[in-house]
Amino acid sequence: MTTPESNVFISGDLEGLSCSEKNVIELIELLVQAEPSLQKKLKSRHVNLTFITKNEIKELNSKFLNKDQPTNVLSFPSSGLDFEEQLLGDIAICPEIIINEADDQNKDRQNHLSHIILHSLLHLAGYDHQEDSSAEKMESLEIEALKKLGIANPY
């Protein structure tokens, strides 16, 4: 029996970056390869990626995290109730910040975006980086998945 593919919905202005449903599904596959227990959490679930402006992400960050500043990405896991059981969650990404961070850190812009999406998917799957052990596990999964894409350790 095969597992149905995840559905990825992408909206907004990517400001010259590239991201497709196929790209995100590949990132999900790489995370599942790195950590097979993620199969149930990530596969066959819907993910919404929205690319938004610096002002819009600042508003969301202020409203949901009480941080009055823009950020590169925000992840909103599904509550898992009723129809949302198939929804993994929503990811809001600010391309302007991704591009500026990549340029400032001498990273390829697309590689940095892939890393940020992987990071967000792990947040949707329940990972966080509040404690050192959680952060280390999260980073190791990101590093392993990125390595399979030929992307160097971003840390």
Side-chain angles (χ1 to χ4, degrees):
M1 180 173 147
T2 60
T3 306
E5 287 289 325
S6 300
N7 288 309
V8 178
F9 304 97
I10 300 171
S11 62
D13 181 359
L14 280 80
E15 297 184 26
L17 296 173
S18 176
C19 182
S20 69
E21 178 180 6
K22 182 180 176 186
N23 297 139
V24 179
I25 289 172
E26 179 183 21
L27 294 174
I28 290 169
E29 292 287 341
L30 291 171
L31 286 173
V32 169
Q33 288 173 20
E35 180 59 62
S37 68
L38 288 172
Q39 171 87 21
K40 186 174 179 176
K41 290 182 180 181
L42 294 177
K43 299 284 283 200
S44 306
R45 308 275 306 273
H46 306 300
V47 178
N48 298 312
L49 268 81
T50 304
F51 290 86
I52 61 177
T53 68
K54 201 172 184 178
N55 285 337
E56 290 169 324
I57 206 154
K58 180 181 176 184
E59 285 178 37
L60 290 174
N61 203 20
S62 179
K63 180 177 180 177
F64 292 101
L65 297 178
N66 295 319
K67 295 181 181 179
D68 192 30
Q69 62 188 29
T71 186
N72 55 8
V73 65
L74 291 169
S75 304
F76 301 96
S78 166
S79 64
L81 302 173
D82 299 327
F83 72 94
E84 293 179 343
E85 285 184 26
Q86 293 306 309
L87 177 64
L88 181 59
D90 300 291
I91 298 171
I93 297 175
C94 179
E96 179 184 348
I97 294 175
I98 299 297
I99 290 166
N100 289 338
E101 286 176 345
D103 292 350
D104 290 347
Q105 298 168 23
N106 295 314
K107 294 179 180 176
D108 178 88
R109 292 173 175 183
Q110 283 301 133
N111 291 352
H112 187 48
L113 177 60
S114 293
H115 175 225
I116 294 303
I117 294 171
L118 279 169
H119 185 84
S120 298
L121 288 167
L122 287 170
H123 276 304
L124 294 183
Y127 285 81
D128 68 43
H129 39 77
Q130 300 304 314
E131 297 177 15
D132 288 344
S133 61
S134 291
E136 289 172 15
K137 178 63 176 175
M138 208 171 163
E139 288 175 10
S140 71
L141 290 172
E142 293 166 22
I143 292 165
E144 187 174 338
L146 289 169
K147 185 177 181 181
K148 291 181 182 195
L149 290 172
I151 299 172
N153 180 339
Y155 298 104

